[in-house]
């Protein structure tokens, strides 16, 4: 006797050349749960309890929607938080790389930006800023400090 298919089977799997493959979204969902359960550097994080049980994947999909493309990955907007409702978005690899725990930040004490994004916004070379921040062991720098040290756009 075969196991009955989930009512969400069509959202979880697709047929490609006669093979059954997981969808991007379902693979991401399983990966998220697996990382938290098995990877030491994710143990302090959690995922929303609504992602458990028979409707867990449906709830996950309702929260994040379908990936805009195969090149998008799931990102936590705030890395110190888990995979919680309101803290997940689909992002491209380059967007995701800008939101890592090793990301350098620029702030005006109201908003903050990844250093690379800020440098692009004000049209300055990020390399000297990065070197300055590493030399002074900074993870975050203020717009005012950048300006005082001559790192201004034009």
């Amino acid at each position: 006797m075969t196991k009955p298919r989930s009512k969400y089977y069509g959202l979880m799997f697709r047929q490609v050349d006669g093979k059954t493959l997981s969808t991007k979204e379902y693979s991401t969902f399983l990966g998220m749960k697996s990382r938290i359960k098995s990877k030491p550097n994710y143990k302090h994080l959690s995922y929303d309890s609504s992602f458990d049980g028979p409707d867990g994947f449906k709830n996950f999909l309702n929260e994040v929607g379908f990936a805009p493309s195969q090149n998008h990955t799931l990102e936590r907007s705030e890395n110190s938080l888990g995979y919680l409702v309101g803290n997940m978005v689909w992002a491209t690899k380059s967007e995701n790389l800008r939101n890592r725990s090793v990301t350098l930040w620029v702030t005006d004490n109201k908003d903050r930006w990844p250093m690379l994004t800020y440098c692009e916004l004000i049209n300055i070379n990020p390399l000297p800023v990065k070197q300055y921040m590493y030399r002074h062991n900074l993870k975050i720098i203020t717009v005012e400090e950048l300006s005082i040290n001559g790192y201004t756009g034009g």
Side-chain angles (χ1 to χ4, degrees), residues 71-111:
N71 296 326
H72 282 73
T73 60
L74 190 66
E75 173 179 86
R76 288 172 288 126
S77 299
E78 180 55 55
N79 284 323
S80 62
L81 301 175
Y83 293 95
L84 305 173
V85 169
N87 194 43
M88 298 176 294
V89 295
W90 291 108
T92 63
K93 186 81 167 171
S94 63
E95 290 168 334
N96 202 312
L97 287 172
R98 291 172 188 241
N99 188 25
R100 299 172 71 191
S101 58
V102 295
T103 299
L104 301 174
W105 295 93
V106 176
T107 182
D108 64 1
N109 297 318
K110 183 178 66 165
D111 295 311

Side-chain angles (χ1 to χ4, degrees), residues 25-96:
E25 295 78 13
Y26 191 57
S27 295
T28 299
F29 172 72
L30 295 176
M32 169 197 73
K33 292 178 86 170
S34 173
R35 270 191 299 283
I36 287 176
K37 290 178 181 173
S38 64
K39 297 220 175 177
N41 55 332
Y42 283 84
K43 291 271 187 198
H44 67 287
L45 300 175
S46 63
Y47 58 85
D48 200 277
S49 61
S50 69
F51 301 152
D52 281 329
D55 289 335
F57 177 64
K58 177 192 73 123
N59 294 337
F60 170 81
L61 202 53
N62 285 339
E63 170 62 21
V64 299
F66 291 98
S69 78
Q70 288 297 311
N71 296 326
H72 282 73
T73 60
L74 190 66
E75 173 179 86
R76 288 172 288 126
S77 299
E78 180 55 55
N79 284 323
S80 62
L81 301 175
Y83 293 95
L84 305 173
V85 169
N87 194 43
M88 298 176 294
V89 295
W90 291 108
T92 63
K93 186 81 167 171
S94 63
E95 290 168 334
N96 202 312

Side-chain angles (χ1 to χ4, degrees), residues 11 15 32 55 73 99 110 112 114 116 118-119 124 132 140:
L11 297 172
Q15 295 292 319
M32 169 197 73
D55 289 335
T73 60
N99 188 25
K110 183 178 66 165
R112 78 175 189 168
L116 289 173
Y118 184 78
C119 289
I124 64 172
Y132 175 85
I140 190 163

